[in-house]
Amino acid sequence: ASAAYAPPVAPAEPRCPAGMVFIEGGATVMGAKDMPDYTGARSTHEAKLSPFCIEHTEVTVREYEACVKEGKCERTPDDVDYEGIKDEARAAYKEFCNARKPERLDHPINCVDWEMATKFCAWKSARLPTEAEWELAARGPEQRDYPWGSAAPDATRLNAAGLEFSAWSEAKGMKPGTLYDKDDGHVGTSPVGFFKAGATPQGVYDLAGNVFEWTSDWFAPYTGAPQVDPKGPPAGDERVARGGAFNAKDATWVRSAYRWGNIPKTYNHGIGFRCVASPKTAP
């Protein structure tokens, strides 16, 4: 990050912990009929959610390493590991792991598995969002295509695969490709909240691009049944990640209804997280 960069600050919200944004809750419809079948998101269904507070940015390296220094969080590896990864991909992608790189203190923590993320949120007296909470924050009750609305993703709204990432991929012998034909200025992650035009109307940043975000839910196809404060299935093999990452080459991957199941022990250059908490009640 350049010296001129200043992370965004959430407006003071008396109902929420510092740095969090209040989400009203209420009724919405989860899923989208035009999602790819493998996402399990085509069985749209009604959901009713209680109010909650969500962090306005992804958890940063600076924040995570404060927990590590207290001995309460596990150090993230300077490595990547996920199902099907090949040695050449591991060697290339691990350079994107952000921890312990002073120039990336305001970037999202990544290369972090689900349990590490869960423990960090608990350290903050918070928790990972349910998938339903994450989706309501990103889509709103009106079910926006993207956090900002319906306009196509571009280099002003999110950090995804632009000309910069395609050039890096080609240089590394990886398959090049772009989501948009411009350079967004960040080959890997960007500082959190850098893309102001991509914020939700409530002021939540980076719900598309930068890094996917762990949620608390196990992954399974939606059932289509109406639900109240859904928490996902009771067990499974994969946890849901949401939101797309800096290497997204397909607009579908950064849609706010897109779902991606990952083995919880996965640590990936393209996955980070943010926390949620319950609103404070009036005395």
Side-chain angles (χ1 to χ4, degrees), residues 142-162:
E142 68 272 32
Q143 306 145 55
R144 298 183 294 265
D145 286 334
Y146 305 102
W148 57 85
S150 59
D154 65 30
T156 71
R157 290 187 170 93
L158 77 166
N159 178 18

Side-chain angles (χ1 to χ4, degrees), residues 200-275:
T200 69
Q202 290 78 19
V204 185
Y205 295 87
D206 297 318
L207 287 168
N210 219 13
V211 287
F212 273 96
E213 300 175 16
W214 287 116
T215 70
S216 61
D217 292 33
W218 290 106
F219 181 87
Y222 290 152
T223 64
Q227 295 179 298
V228 177
D229 288 326
K231 292 179 170 58
D237 297 319
E238 298 175 321
R239 297 282 186 177
V240 177
R242 290 294 207 108
F246 64 86
N247 55 354
K249 303 171 187 174
D250 185 325
T252 301
W253 302 349
V254 297
R255 284 269 304 274
S256 297
Y258 185 80
R259 311 169 72 228
W260 184 32
N262 281 265
I263 295 168
K265 292 187 180 297
T266 292
Y267 41 99
N268 188 313
H269 54 289
I271 302 179
F273 67 101
R274 75 181 75 213
C275 308

Side-chain angles (χ1 to χ4, degrees), residues 77 79-85 90 111 263 265-269:
D79 200 3
V80 294
D81 186 50
Y82 51 86
E83 195 172 22
I85 190 172
R90 184 194 299 272
C111 305
I263 295 168
K265 292 187 180 297
T266 292
Y267 41 99
N268 188 313
H269 54 289

